[in-house]
Each structure stands twice: as structure tokens, then as C-alpha cells.
């Protein structure tokens, strides 16, 4: 699924001088924290005006079998706890 990659690509790229306007790429995200059983909801947050501001990943090594972790940092206008 390329949802986050496509979303990041749609944001303005200052170096290239292109991208959508903030009203077009900002989104509302709902974050749900689940209990250890994986079904019980502990907390829910509604984040408004979100957009990806940074992405990072570890560099792959061909001689390693380590798991990879990608990080996506979001900028947020407002957060509301439900």
C-alpha cells in the first residue's frame, strides 16, 4: 500500500517548487490506542491539519537479517482527545 508515500509526494517540495497547497494535503487522522488484547480501545485522539514533515528509515545491509523500521513524523495543527 502506497498511501503514505503518495501523501508525502503530494506535499510541497521546497527544493523543486511544486506540490499541493496546505488545504489540499492536510488531513484529519484518528489515532486509536488499543489494550494488549488488541481489541479494547484505551484512548482515541483526533488530529486535525496533519501532514508528513519527515520520513526516515534505516539503511539496508545485504549481510544482515535485521528487521527494518520506518518512521513518519507528522506536523499537526490541533489534537483532541475523545
Amino acid at each position: 500500500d502506497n498511501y503514505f508515500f503518495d501523501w508525502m509526494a503530494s506535499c510541497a517540495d521546497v527544493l523543486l517548487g511544486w506540490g499541493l497547497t496546505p488545504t489540499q494535503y492536510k488531513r484529519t487522522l484518528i489515532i486509536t490506542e488499543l489494550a494488549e488484547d488488541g481489541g479494547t480501545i484505551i484512548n482515541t485522539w483526533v488530529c486535525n491539519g496533519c501532514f508528513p514533515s519527515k520520513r526516515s528509515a534505516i539503511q539496508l545491509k545485504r549481510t544482515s537479517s535485521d528487521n527494518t523500521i520506518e518512521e513518519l513524523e507528522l506536523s499537526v495543527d490541533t489534537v483532541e482527545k475523545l
Side-chain angles (χ1 to χ4, degrees), residues 53-65:
S53 56
K54 180 181 177 184
R55 178 188 163 267
S56 61
I58 64 170
Q59 199 166 12
L60 296 175
K61 298 176 187 169
R62 63 184 172 93
T63 59
S64 176
S65 62

Side-chain angles (χ1 to χ4, degrees), residues 7-47:
W7 184 24
M8 288 183 58
S10 71
C11 295
D13 187 330
V14 176
L15 297 175
L16 298 176
W18 60 271
L20 301 175
T21 63
T23 55
Q24 294 172 311
Y25 64 72
K26 286 188 176 184
R27 311 246 171 106
T28 297
L29 301 178
I30 299 173
I31 300 171
T32 305
E33 179 184 9
L34 300 176
E36 290 183 18
D37 64 11
T40 306
I41 296 174
I42 298 175
N43 289 305
T44 302
W45 296 272
V46 177
C47 304

